[in-house]
Amino acid sequence: MAFKLDGNPLAVDVPFTYGDVNYPANWLRLSTADEKTALGITEVADSPTYDSRFYWGNGTAKTLTDTNEVDENGDPVLDENGDQVVTLGVKSVLKAQEKDIAGSLLARYDWYVVRKAEKSTAIPTAITTYRDAVRTACTTRETEITNCADTAALVTLYGQTEKDGVYTPNMTQYPTDPNS
């Protein structure tokens, strides 16, 4: 909750002055509702917040699919190379993030692959199994993103489900690092 006095916002844990009285920083937390009302302080609901992966600041859902940009005449907007300018939609952005995550998970074990190529030293089975599982999880996660029909489905996919006090992610999870 936020507080207002004479239409002006009051920050919690910040001292303020009203009339000739100086109020300490903790006054809003320690005062009763009646004390606040007597001073003319009102409570107002906090502005809603939206997950910026899926929504603009005003709560409008972002476009899920890529958009070919056009000018005011409806003509394609081209970049300096003459290629169509495309604004990536939420799904493309999320899938690119998944590729980045998978790449970083794989990168910590790339040295095994280099060692095998240079010295023919076998890659431990646990590492090859892990690397395959990372690639599989990434592909599955990208498919899960692609299969979402709307923003609500994406929000659900990136959420979690609670059962008996246990929270389980709705999206396929990356494997556990074999060295963790």
Side-chain angles (χ1 to χ4, degrees), residues 3 10-17 21-31 36 41:
F3 299 100
L10 280 178
V12 176
D13 296 328
V14 175
F16 66 97
T17 301
V21 179
N22 294 322
Y23 294 88
N26 62 352
W27 192 86
L28 288 172
R29 289 194 188 278
L30 300 177
S31 60
K36 291 179 189 113
I41 295 174

Side-chain angles (χ1 to χ4, degrees), residues 20 26 59 148:
D20 293 332
N26 62 352
C148 287

Side-chain angles (χ1 to χ4, degrees), residues 77-86:
V77 175
L78 305 177
D79 65 15
E80 62 276 357
N81 297 321
D83 297 323
Q84 171 75 54
V85 173
V86 177

Side-chain angles (χ1 to χ4, degrees), residues 67-124:
T67 304
N68 290 333
E69 294 300 325
V70 295
D71 63 18
E72 60 277 352
N73 298 322
D75 297 324
V77 175
L78 305 177
D79 65 15
E80 62 276 357
N81 297 321
D83 297 323
Q84 171 75 54
V85 173
V86 177
T87 300
L88 297 179
V90 172
K91 288 183 178 184
S92 290
V93 170
L94 293 173
K95 289 190 280 187
Q97 289 172 352
E98 292 303 327
K99 287 183 187 331
D100 288 343
I101 292 167
S104 69
L105 294 172
L106 293 170
R108 59 182 78 148
Y109 294 109
D110 283 350
W111 70 272
Y112 282 107
V113 177
V114 173
R115 182 180 70 173
K116 177 166 176 52
E118 291 179 355
K119 302 290 185 181
S120 298
T121 303
I123 301 171

Side-chain angles (χ1 to χ4, degrees), residues 7-180:
N8 297 313
L10 280 178
V12 176
D13 296 328
V14 175
F16 66 97
T17 301
Y18 187 66
D20 293 332
V21 179
N22 294 322
Y23 294 88
N26 62 352
W27 192 86
L28 288 172
R29 289 194 188 278
L30 300 177
S31 60
T32 66
D34 289 339
E35 289 171 324
K36 291 179 189 113
T37 301
L39 197 59
I41 295 174
T42 56
E43 285 190 43
V44 293
D46 290 327
S47 299
T49 58
Y50 302 95
D51 189 328
S52 62
R53 293 175 295 181
F54 312 114
Y55 298 99
W56 296 109
N58 65 2
T60 303
K62 293 181 178 180
T63 303
L64 296 182
T65 56
D66 298 348
T67 304
N68 290 333
E69 294 300 325
V70 295
D71 63 18
E72 60 277 352
N73 298 322
D75 297 324
V77 175
L78 305 177
D79 65 15
E80 62 276 357
N81 297 321
D83 297 323
Q84 171 75 54
V85 173
V86 177
T87 300
L88 297 179
V90 172
K91 288 183 178 184
S92 290
V93 170
L94 293 173
K95 289 190 280 187
Q97 289 172 352
E98 292 303 327
K99 287 183 187 331
D100 288 343
I101 292 167
S104 69
L105 294 172
L106 293 170
R108 59 182 78 148
Y109 294 109
D110 283 350
W111 70 272
Y112 282 107
V113 177
V114 173
R115 182 180 70 173
K116 177 166 176 52
E118 291 179 355
K119 302 290 185 181
S120 298
T121 303
I123 301 171
T125 303
I127 300 302
T128 56
T129 300
Y130 171 74
R131 289 174 62 86
D132 289 342
V134 166
R135 285 187 282 272
T136 299
C138 181
T139 300
T140 302
R141 288 169 72 100
E142 287 181 47
T143 300
E144 290 169 344
I145 292 166
T146 298
N147 291 341
C148 287
D150 54 27
T151 301
L154 270 175
V155 170
T156 299
L157 178 64
Y158 275 82
Q160 54 189 359
T161 303
E162 185 269 332
K163 182 176 180 185
D164 300 327
V166 176
Y167 292 88
T168 306
N170 296 332
M171 182 178 250
T172 297
Q173 296 300 288
Y174 284 102
T176 302
D177 187 314
N179 291 324
S180 63

